[in-house]
């Protein structure tokens, strides 16, 4: 029998990376002599990786970006971020216990994120969690990324799972849209990085703490998908 699988987004879902992403974003913005972004503003820019984050931060200050300058700033961002992993980033409350709960029940676990794969693996390893995940797939793992549903379905396949027995957990419209397009139920956490409440994007369920991600909830949602 196929083992069920839970696929997690990373930033804003499993790990609170906001302090480090914000530091690295502001490090790159300083090179453009732009005003630093605060935590509230940061949530509007995150979700599609560093390149989009930099682009959105510039647009918010009515600044355009030439390709060469965009590339230079992205390198500054990535170098600063990579050099400081894991920095202040930590798992959200209940994450470690949730991983243990689902592993004990026979679930496969995987990560599907729009962060670069190398940085994702480095962060998860630095926090001592890598051994729990059958696959860690970033924006550059495949030739496509979220919200393309193949990013999610191919992560599941790479982990040895079956998309027909899968659940996604994320914090953003991108995660929810990806799961819906793949025909996979999705639980949204309401403490992540989005400037609109995740309920607006109509996920299968919303939780405010990982304690609420129970075996019963996962089983019901996977069964209700009706594959």
């Amino acid at each position: 029998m196929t083992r069920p699988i839970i696929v997690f987004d990373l930033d804003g879902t499993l790990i609170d990376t906001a302090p480090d992403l914000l530091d690295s974003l502001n490090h790159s913005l300083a090179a453009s002599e732009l005003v630093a972004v605060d935590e509230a503003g940061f949530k509007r820019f995150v979700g599609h990786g560093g390149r989009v984050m930099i682009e959105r931060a510039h647009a918010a200050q009515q600044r355009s970006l030439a390709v060469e300058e965009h590339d230079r700033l992205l390198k500054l961002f990535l170098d600063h971020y990579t050099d400081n992993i894991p920095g202040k980033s930590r798992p959200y409350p209940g994450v470690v216990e949730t991983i243990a709960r689902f592993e004990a029940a026979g679930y496969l676990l995987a990560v599907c994120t729009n962060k670069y794969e190398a940085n994702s693996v480095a962060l998860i390893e630095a926090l001592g969690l890598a051994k729990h995940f059958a696959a860690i797939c970033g924006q550059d793992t495949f030739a496509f990324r979220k919200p393309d549903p193949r990013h999610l379905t191919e992560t599941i396949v790479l982990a040895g799972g079956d998309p027909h027995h899968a659940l996604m957990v994320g914090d953003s419209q991108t995660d929810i849209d990806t799961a819906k397009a793949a025909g996979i139920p999705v639980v949204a956490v309401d403490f992540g990085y989005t400037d609109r409440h995740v309920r607006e994007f109509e996920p299968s369920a919303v939780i405010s703490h990982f304690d609420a991600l129970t075996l019963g909830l996962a089983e019901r949602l996977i069964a209700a998908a009706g594959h």
Side-chain angles (χ1 to χ4, degrees):
M1 182 175 172
T2 303
R3 291 171 65 186
I5 183 169
I6 298 186
V7 183
F8 297 91
D9 174 54
L10 188 56
D11 298 339
T13 300
L14 277 180
I15 311 297
D16 183 7
T17 54
D20 299 307
L21 291 173
L22 183 58
D23 285 350
S24 297
L25 175 61
N26 284 330
H27 176 74
S28 73
L29 294 180
S32 290
E33 299 181 345
L34 291 186
V35 177
V37 173
D38 61 17
E39 187 174 347
F42 162 79
K43 289 190 174 185
R44 302 201 313 273
F45 307 141
V46 75
H48 291 271
R51 180 176 290 277
V52 175
M53 204 184 310
I54 291 166
E55 180 182 353
R56 288 175 172 175
H58 278 70
Q61 298 187 43
Q62 287 77 51
R63 287 279 293 273
S64 59
L65 264 177
V67 173
E68 297 81 3
E69 178 68 356
H70 203 165
D71 291 343
R72 182 180 79 87
L73 295 178
L74 178 62
K75 185 176 189 308
L76 284 174
F77 171 88
L78 291 173
D79 287 349
H80 185 273
Y81 183 79
T82 301
D83 290 345
N84 289 283
I85 289 173
K88 306 165 194 167
S89 298
R90 297 293 181 270
Y92 282 102
V95 163
V96 173
E97 294 82 0
T98 296
I99 287 171
R101 182 162 66 247
F102 281 93
E103 276 190 329
Y107 279 69
L108 292 165
L109 304 174
V111 169
C112 178
T113 174
N114 277 339
K115 188 193 226 53
Y116 284 100
E117 181 184 314
N119 282 340
S120 303
V121 171
L123 175 61
I124 293 169
E125 285 181 343
L127 295 174
L129 299 175
K131 63 178 182 276
H132 301 292
F133 297 103
I136 299 170
C137 297
Q139 67 161 266
D140 54 335
T141 303
F142 309 110
F144 35 78
R145 64 176 185 172
K146 298 183 296 185
D148 190 313
R150 294 174 296 173
H151 192 180
L152 174 55
T153 55
E154 290 301 309
T155 296
I156 291 167
V157 171
L158 189 61
D162 179 351
H164 294 150
H165 298 89
L167 177 67
M168 175 80 186
V169 181
D171 72 308
S172 69
Q173 182 177 8
T174 300
D175 297 320
I176 294 165
D177 288 350
T178 302
K180 285 182 176 180
I184 290 170
V186 55
V187 171
V189 301
D190 66 4
F191 47 73
Y193 307 151
T194 176
D195 59 341
R196 293 165 59 191
H197 197 285
V198 287
R199 193 174 294 108
E200 294 182 35
F201 311 123
E202 300 182 345
S204 310
V206 177
I207 60 171
S208 299
H209 192 286
F210 270 99
D211 287 353
L213 186 61
T214 62
L215 289 168
L217 175 62
E219 289 165 0
R220 285 196 302 275
L221 292 177
I222 293 171
H227 292 297

